[in-house]
Amino acid sequence: MAFSFQTKYKTKEFLRPEDLLRSIPLEPGMTVADFGAGNGHYAVAAGALVGTKGQVSAFDVMEDALSQTATLARLVGLHNITTRQCDLEKYGATKLPDTGTDFVILSSLLHQVRNRNEVLREAYRILKTGGQILVVEYTPDAMFGPPVPQRLPKEEAAKLLEQYSFRPVKELQAGAFHYALLYQK
């Protein structure tokens, strides 16, 4: 069940990473990279879905965020998640091999970075042919999140992905405050 907010007019549900990733679907044995892992909720949800034969690499520029990710993984008993501090705006920073990753997650990241192009170049570099990328960002009318002028409109995110030859797969349900775009290399 998703967490919900009561408003004057209706109940609005907040995004749940595990539900979103299950709808893709992520499968056992896949390799996943979580760019801008933050509190680790996507990495941990992905780790549970890809299972013991899968691997999740969580990246963030902030060591504290990676510590939260590692702690959450330990709390739920997952051992298939590794963390690495790096600047995702630098090509090659993940140190992952070329074309070795099945899936990349960019949740609430693109609106924060100055050099979106390098982040997308790195995602493209590590993805296998046929691999997928998930972009999740706040909608312009969400009642919280980054300041509205900093938010990345869905159309702009799609344009950026297509500049790097990613092909649209589908838009996913992402709760009342986010949009989610699934693209393929």
Side-chain angles (χ1 to χ4, degrees), residues 20-175:
L20 183 58
L21 295 178
R22 199 174 288 116
S23 74
I24 290 171
L26 289 186
E27 298 175 3
M30 291 178 88
T31 56
V32 176
D34 184 1
F35 282 21
N39 58 22
H41 290 286
Y42 278 92
V44 168
L49 291 169
V50 301
T52 57
K53 293 185 180 176
Q55 178 64 42
V56 177
S57 298
F59 301 97
D60 205 291
V61 72
M62 298 175 59
E63 186 59 43
D64 185 53
L66 296 171
S67 176
Q68 289 178 40
T69 299
T71 298
L72 183 58
R74 279 192 307 275
L75 284 172
V76 298
L78 292 175
H79 303 285
N80 60 346
I81 298 172
T82 59
T83 61
R84 182 175 304 142
Q85 184 177 17
C86 68
D87 182 351
L88 292 163
E89 294 181 68
K90 294 187 174 155
Y91 185 72
T94 65
K95 296 187 174 36
L96 291 175
D98 293 354
T99 65
T101 302
D102 294 302
F103 197 81
V104 174
I105 301 166
L106 286 91
S107 178
S108 298
L109 176 69
L110 289 177
H111 76 270
Q112 294 183 55
V113 296
R114 288 188 201 139
N115 197 340
R116 295 173 181 153
N117 290 327
E118 290 303 300
V119 173
L120 291 172
R121 269 185 74 208
E122 180 66 0
Y124 191 87
R125 180 187 72 77
I126 68 170
L127 273 173
K128 296 176 179 177
T129 300
Q132 296 183 324
I133 184 169
L134 175 68
V135 172
V136 180
E137 288 288 340
Y138 283 92
T139 60
D141 60 344
M143 68 173 93
F144 55 88
V148 173
Q150 292 177 9
R151 296 180 191 188
L152 181 66
K154 179 174 30 176
E155 299 75 21
E156 190 176 332
K159 185 178 177 181
L160 281 167
L161 288 162
E162 290 166 17
Q163 282 177 333
Y164 284 89
S165 300
F166 290 110
R167 297 179 316 275
V169 175
K170 62 183 172 179
E171 187 171 345
L172 301 162
Q173 290 295 319

